[in-house]
Amino acid sequence: AELDAVSSPPAKKKTIVPAMPNFTLKTGESVFVIEQIECKSDNEAFVFFYEGQLQELQNTQVQVNVNKRYAMWYDIRHDGVSKTDWWCIPKKRFCYSSIDFTDWGGKLKSGELGSFDKKLTLPSRFDISALVAHTSKQKCSF
């Protein structure tokens, strides 16, 4: 018997997302915390995050004494990470740079305490790109 050819829908490009590490947050440790995610297209997000010391843990919030602020471009269509090439040439999946605290509407200054979503916090011994990929995928529906 012959099988009828069945047309299948076009394959959607698979998004590779770095695996989130398992961790426990501890007061006093250095952490990254996402301040804001801006969905820029079906493939891109612009993310602001801080590095600082975790001061207090609550059920859903953390208090962080911030000391650095960063901006990261996340583009699911490309591969690689660049910490020095801000404009991502050649194109990278993640590129980021430290920015001034006042850039792009920043409200905190170095040494100030900020309150953030606990789910958007990661010990700085891990790569921030895993948290950015995980949360951007959820927020932006990549």
Side-chain angles (χ1 to χ4, degrees):
E2 283 187 31
L3 296 174
D4 291 331
V6 178
S7 62
S8 57
K12 186 177 178 184
K13 184 173 179 179
K14 184 174 175 161
T15 301
I16 300 168
V17 178
M20 276 294 295
N22 290 322
F23 60 89
T24 301
L25 293 170
K26 299 177 193 124
T27 55
E29 77 179 320
S30 178
V31 294
F32 291 126
V33 61
I34 293 177
E35 172 188 22
Q36 180 181 347
I37 298 170
E38 295 179 6
C39 304
K40 293 297 188 183
S41 73
D42 291 343
N43 304 299
E44 301 162 298
F46 195 50
V47 180
F48 298 98
F49 66 97
Y50 290 102
E51 185 174 0
Q53 299 302 123
L54 182 61
Q55 299 298 309
E56 187 180 334
L57 278 164
Q58 300 163 345
N59 286 341
T60 61
Q61 296 286 300
V62 294
Q63 302 291 317
V64 177
N65 185 336
V66 300
N67 55 41
K68 289 184 186 170
R69 187 168 183 244
Y70 298 88
M72 176 183 274
W73 191 260
Y74 172 43
D75 186 338
I76 64 172
R77 298 168 295 185
H78 300 287
D79 293 317
V81 176
S82 175
K83 295 178 185 177
T84 58
D85 190 359
W86 174 239
W87 296 110
C88 300
I89 301 169
K91 291 288 187 182
K92 300 290 184 188
R93 181 174 301 266
F94 300 96
C95 67
Y96 61 99
S97 179
S98 60
I99 60 173
D100 288 335
F101 279 84
T102 56
D103 287 352
W104 288 291
K107 300 200 178 1
L108 295 174
K109 295 180 187 135
S110 181
E112 288 187 338
L113 198 62
S115 182
F116 303 94
D117 188 332
K118 186 177 179 181
K119 291 184 283 191
L120 301 179
T121 308
L122 180 75
S124 64
R125 67 182 181 272
F126 296 112
D127 185 349
I128 184 67
S129 59
L131 181 61
V132 167
H134 179 77
T135 55
S136 295
K137 185 177 176 186
Q138 290 178 331
K139 178 175 169 106
C140 301
S141 302
F142 293 154

